[in-house]
Amino acid sequence: MEHITLLLAIVVVTALVFDFTNGFHDTANAMATTISTGALKPKTAVAMSAVLNLIGAFLSVEVAKTISGGIVNEDGLRTEVIFAALVGAILWNLLTWLVGLPSSSSHALFGGLIGAAVMSAGWSSINGGTVVTKVLLPAIAAPLVAGLAAMLATRLTYRINRNVTDEGQLKSTAKGYRAGQIASAGLVSLAHGTNDAQKTMGIITLALVTGGVLAPGSNPPMWVIVSAGVAIALGTYLGGWRIIRTMGKGLTDLQPPQGFAAQTSAATVILASSHLGFSLSTTQSCSGAVMGAGLGRKGGVVRWSTATRMFVAWGLTLPAAGLIGAGAEFLTKQGPWGITVTAILLVGGSFAIWLASRRQPVDHTNVNDTDGEGEPQGIVTTAMAAVQPPPVGGPAADLATTIPAPAPAPSPDDPARPPAKV
């Protein structure tokens, strides 16, 4: 560490700031459904997620190696490029947090890195094959796989419990699913730390390589692993309440069995991708699982207006962060004054976004409030619901809610009874 220059130190600190924003931006991935179903209190949920994020950061470095030695060519890459990439990723993260959209922090980082590298050294600096196989294809496959798994798991869950009608059994079953939901939320948090903290480890390692501190192809040093884990854990504990509201209540209304199915499916996909070195978007995996769980219950409503906004944000993340990163790199190429201006714009832009968020604050006290309760079922939801198994309670419960009981005959002394005609 004695060879780290001032610029390299600034890049390392900026990377940890990005890791912090990644934490509060992606808290919803693990805990939104747990909070929305009441399985855990909001502050308890984010504290648990923070601890498990920290533990998860120490489980693997495969994703970090994908970023530090895969997406861009290290030869001739300047440290300023890493700084510009982080500027693009941080500002896009904050913008999407402000509007409550669960976009991908991973793709914001990749977009910023690609845009800055192209501005610095042209398209030859990008390893296109790695971008396609380990970034773009997983981005398409992850939400689909997680959503399908969650939908099938939800159908199976309700089918298994379709004959449970006793009130005591229903309460016992609900408690069991809440306990399972807490366990699966912990698994998602662990997976998030394993996957997302590594992205910051990779970007810091890449900066150390460009600065001549590490040899190309090196694994992240222990101090990098520890600092990245602590940064993402602190951000997670802060709680990205705006995005938690969107994921927990804005997309669909989840019951404990659905929450359990969604989180278990998402955690399985994330952990499998981390093991294979795929730099997966945990946001897209968890969002897909939530929508799949919503479609898996008969009568469940997926709010497609919110989902459409989310899909648009997903599509814009890579190019938008890339444009910001390219603009930042254009400034840093001008020399020390350009780096200073870029840093000022980053701080000023972040502060302006924070001030804008104070106009309508969202925190643990109002995170479960939503204005989207009354959105009608869309065509897709209606079609899926037509072939779903009935909810817990069985056919009798469906009949009880479909065929109203006859009104009791009024007594002769009832004042609301109309007078008899003579």
Side-chain angles (χ1 to χ4, degrees):
M1 294 179 64
E2 62 272 15
H3 301 294
I4 293 181
T5 63
L6 176 60
L7 175 60
L8 195 53
I10 292 174
V11 171
V12 170
V13 171
T14 307
L16 294 176
V17 170
F18 165 77
D19 204 23
F20 180 81
T21 66
N22 190 353
F24 75 73
H25 195 278
D26 291 1
T27 309
N29 296 340
M31 291 300 170
T33 59
T34 307
I35 292 171
S36 68
T37 60
L40 281 177
K41 293 182 178 179
K43 295 296 288 184
T44 304
V46 296
M48 170 184 164
S49 184
V51 172
L52 291 170
N53 264 315
L54 178 60
I55 295 172
F58 292 89
L59 297 184
S60 174
V61 294
E62 291 302 318
V63 174
K65 289 192 291 186
T66 296
I67 294 173
S68 62
I71 292 179
V72 297
N73 297 319
E74 298 170 346
D75 298 335
L77 195 65
R78 300 180 306 118
T79 306
E80 292 89 335
V81 174
I82 313 300
F83 178 58
L86 291 166
V87 170
I90 290 171
L91 289 178
W92 183 254
N93 262 0
L94 292 177
L95 283 171
T96 50
W97 164 77
L98 177 64
V99 296
L101 286 178
S103 68
S104 171
S105 297
S106 307
H107 289 180
L109 179 60
F110 300 149
L113 185 59
I114 292 170
V118 170
M119 175 60 71
S120 174
W123 287 102
S124 61
S125 62
I126 307 300
N127 294 324
T130 302
V131 172
V132 171
T133 58
K134 293 204 170 186
V135 177
L136 296 181
L137 291 181
I140 297 172
L144 295 176
V145 172
L148 180 61
M151 184 176 68
L152 294 176
T154 301
R155 288 188 182 186
L156 179 62
T157 297
Y158 281 109
R159 182 171 293 277
I160 291 173
N161 292 281
R162 67 185 182 276
N163 294 324
V164 178
T165 57
D166 180 73
E167 185 174 349
Q169 289 180 318
L170 289 173
K171 289 182 178 180
S172 177
T173 301
K175 285 183 179 179
Y177 278 119
R178 283 192 172 91
Q181 197 176 358
I182 293 172
S184 61
L187 189 60
V188 173
S189 296
L190 196 69
H192 182 256
T194 303
N195 196 282
D196 280 43
Q198 287 188 64
K199 295 168 182 134
T200 301
M201 296 178 206
I203 208 74
I204 294 176
T205 302
L206 181 59
L208 295 175
V209 170
T210 61
V213 178
L214 293 177
S218 299
N219 286 339
M222 180 55 66
W223 68 267
V224 172
I225 296 174
V226 172
S227 59
V230 170
I232 200 169
L234 289 174
T236 300
Y237 182 71
L238 181 66
W241 303 111
R242 292 172 178 272
I243 300 176
I244 290 176
R245 172 187 284 185
T246 300
M247 288 276 285
K249 290 289 187 181
L251 276 175
T252 185
D253 297 316
L254 295 180
Q255 297 177 356
Q258 294 169 278
F260 174 69
Q263 289 171 318
T264 303
S265 303
T268 302
V269 172
I270 296 166
L271 286 172
S273 68
S274 296
H275 178 70
L276 296 172
F278 292 135
S279 190
L280 193 69
S281 168
T282 55
T283 299
Q284 293 179 354
S285 300
C286 293
S287 300
V290 168
M291 286 188 284
L295 292 173
R297 176 174 65 89
K298 184 178 181 180
V301 175
V302 172
R303 299 186 177 94
W304 294 105
S305 60
T306 301
T308 301
R309 290 170 52 230
M310 187 177 65
F311 296 151
V312 171
W314 290 359
L316 289 177
T317 295
L318 269 172
L323 287 174
I324 299 173
E329 170 57 15
F330 177 78
L331 287 175
T332 61
K333 287 172 66 174
Q334 311 307 314
W337 72 266
I339 296 173
T340 303
V341 170
T342 302
I344 292 173
L345 290 175
L346 173 62
V347 174
S350 302
F351 184 68
I353 293 171
W354 180 81
L355 283 180
S357 73
R358 295 301 88 198
R359 297 175 183 173
Q360 293 182 324
V362 179
D363 56 26
H364 65 281
T365 62
N366 62 354
V367 66
N368 279 334
D369 297 342
T370 179
D371 298 327
E373 299 273 344
E375 182 174 324
Q377 292 188 167
I379 296 174
V380 177
T381 305
T382 304
M384 296 296 297
V387 295
Q388 307 293 321
V392 175
D398 284 347
L399 289 175
T401 58
T402 305
I403 306 175
S411 64
D413 299 328
D414 189 348
R417 181 179 181 178
K421 295 183 180 180
V422 179

